[in-house]
Amino acid sequence: MTASFDAAENSKMKKICKICGSPIYGGHNKKYCESCLKQVRADQHIKYRAREAAGISRKLGSTDICGLCGNPYSVSSSRQRYCQKCSSISPRPSRRVLPDDYYTSGPSPTGYQQGILYLYGSFAGDSFIVRSAERHYVDAVSPLFKNSTPFLQHNSAEGKKDYWVIKASTRFTFLRKPSLEDISDWTGFLRAFIEIQSCLDLRPRKSRDGTPIRTPRLRVFGARADLEQIMRHIPAAQKKIQDIRTQTGATSAIYYQSPREIVDILDFIDGSPRNDAVWALWENILATK
């Protein structure tokens, strides 16, 4: 049976209260836990009364002077600074004028960023989104997103991890999932792809004299068309692509079982930036006898 989807619950993010540091769940504007929020509101009320006593607060319906034309107007909002006539003038001094190419041009992604966008990038409604359970990959592409910051999305599905997200409007036409023909740096692309889409472990077998030993095995997973392209850029002999079944469906994989080839591959893709946690795990596996 398919679990019901609660849109309101799924939209909540795991955050930290800015005052006490306790974990909270809520939307973009939630900053405090319930206990601290009461204190914040009490402090705001005290400050408001102090401004009112000093005569520097503005009440709705009171009269103020327009910041553009100098004529008096009736205050209808705490943020109002202009009379009704001047409010319709565009652009006002407070408005930011955007460059003509603001939505059509941006920084060019590196090969490593292209690998992350290729695997984790997707369109959802009117947004382009990158999401991953590991913050490293979302942080790595965040410089490509104008005026967007990563946030932790609460996953309401039972047993599933929360995941990090960064998104931008589809008006930013330069943000998209690249094709393999777009790859500018295959070394960086492969570093991201293999970090995310591979498994390095130790395979038990027997030596020629029958002694049980374990040797490293690198499996790289992905669509068959992707793996065919990737093999052309990996410094190793061509392999037969294996079709395998997983708990979530079917996929394909390349198996590298020569210790020399595995070391050559990792030496080839090594560079910066990289996910140091993944590389530390690989180094521990390769050091195991």
Side-chain angles (χ1 to χ4, degrees):
M1 181 181 293
T2 303
S4 61
F5 177 77
D6 188 334
E9 177 67 19
N10 197 57
S11 66
K12 293 180 180 179
M13 298 177 289
K14 187 176 182 180
K15 307 173 76 176
I16 299 297
C17 174
K18 288 194 171 183
I19 295 179
C20 68
S22 60
I24 55 176
Y25 287 97
H28 289 280
N29 295 327
K30 184 153 187 173
K31 300 178 181 178
Y32 313 106
C33 65
E34 294 302 320
S35 176
C36 293
L37 180 60
K38 292 179 181 179
Q39 184 60 47
V40 168
R41 287 175 175 170
D43 293 342
Q44 289 173 341
H45 184 72
I46 292 173
K47 291 178 181 179
Y48 171 77
R49 290 303 181 190
R51 291 195 303 271
E52 186 179 40
I56 57 176
S57 65
R58 303 188 310 166
K59 292 185 177 181
L60 298 182
S62 63
T63 301
D64 204 346
I65 302 300
C66 176
L68 284 181
C69 66
N71 291 324
Y73 67 88
S74 177
V75 177
S76 59
S77 167
S78 62
R79 296 185 177 182
Q80 185 179 1
R81 293 294 179 267
Y82 309 102
C83 66
Q84 186 174 3
K85 180 180 178 180
C86 292
S87 294
S88 62
I89 298 176
S90 180
R92 299 195 303 271
S94 61
R95 289 184 178 175
R96 182 170 59 130
V97 179
L98 299 176
D100 293 339
D101 62 350
Y102 182 74
Y103 291 106
T104 58
S105 66
S108 299
T110 64
Y112 189 75
Q113 289 172 327
Q114 286 179 316
I116 298 169
L117 294 175
Y118 188 78
L119 294 172
Y120 286 149
S122 63
F123 288 98
D126 60 354
S127 297
F128 180 73
I129 296 177
V130 172
R131 50 188 165 191
S132 170
E134 296 186 61
R135 179 166 185 170
H136 166 83
Y137 296 112
V138 176
D139 284 342
V141 297
S142 63
L144 304 175
F145 288 72
K146 294 182 177 180
N147 298 326
S148 297
T149 56
F151 61 89
L152 187 63
Q153 180 80 47
H154 175 55
N155 194 336
S156 60
E158 185 177 355
K160 298 294 185 179
K161 293 181 179 180
D162 295 344
Y163 48 87
W164 288 94
V165 180
I166 191 168
K167 63 181 179 179
S169 168
T170 51
R171 289 183 296 173
F172 293 98
T173 55
F174 60 88
L175 282 173
R176 61 185 178 87
K177 179 177 178 176
S179 67
L180 293 182
E181 288 72 26
D182 296 328
I183 305 307
S184 58
D185 167 23
W186 272 96
T187 301
F189 179 86
L190 289 172
R191 188 185 318 125
F193 195 99
I194 293 176
E195 282 180 3
I196 297 170
Q197 291 281 100
S198 75
C199 175
L200 178 62
D201 58 8
L202 294 172
R203 180 173 64 99
R205 65 186 188 89
K206 291 185 178 181
S207 64
R208 292 181 179 179
D209 62 3
T211 304
I213 59 174
R214 294 191 300 169
T215 57
R217 172 182 60 177
L218 175 66
R219 291 172 289 173
V220 182
F221 303 95
R224 176 175 284 269
D226 293 348
L227 298 181
E228 288 174 349
Q229 286 280 350
I230 284 171
M231 276 198 296
R232 298 174 185 174
H233 299 275
I234 288 180
Q238 295 289 301
K239 308 296 181 185
K240 180 180 178 181
I241 297 177
Q242 307 289 330
D243 294 322
I244 59 176
R245 291 203 168 271
T246 67
Q247 294 179 346
T248 56
T251 188
S252 299
I254 312 170
Y255 285 60
Y256 295 98
Q257 301 182 99
S258 163
R260 181 182 295 276
E261 280 189 335
I262 293 172
V263 170
D264 287 345
I265 291 170
L266 298 186
D267 285 344
F268 175 73
I269 67 172
D270 194 5
S272 180
R274 70 179 195 177
N275 188 334
D276 288 333
V278 171
W279 284 81
L281 177 62
W282 288 348
E283 290 168 2
N284 287 336
I285 291 173
L286 294 176
T288 303
K289 300 296 184 181

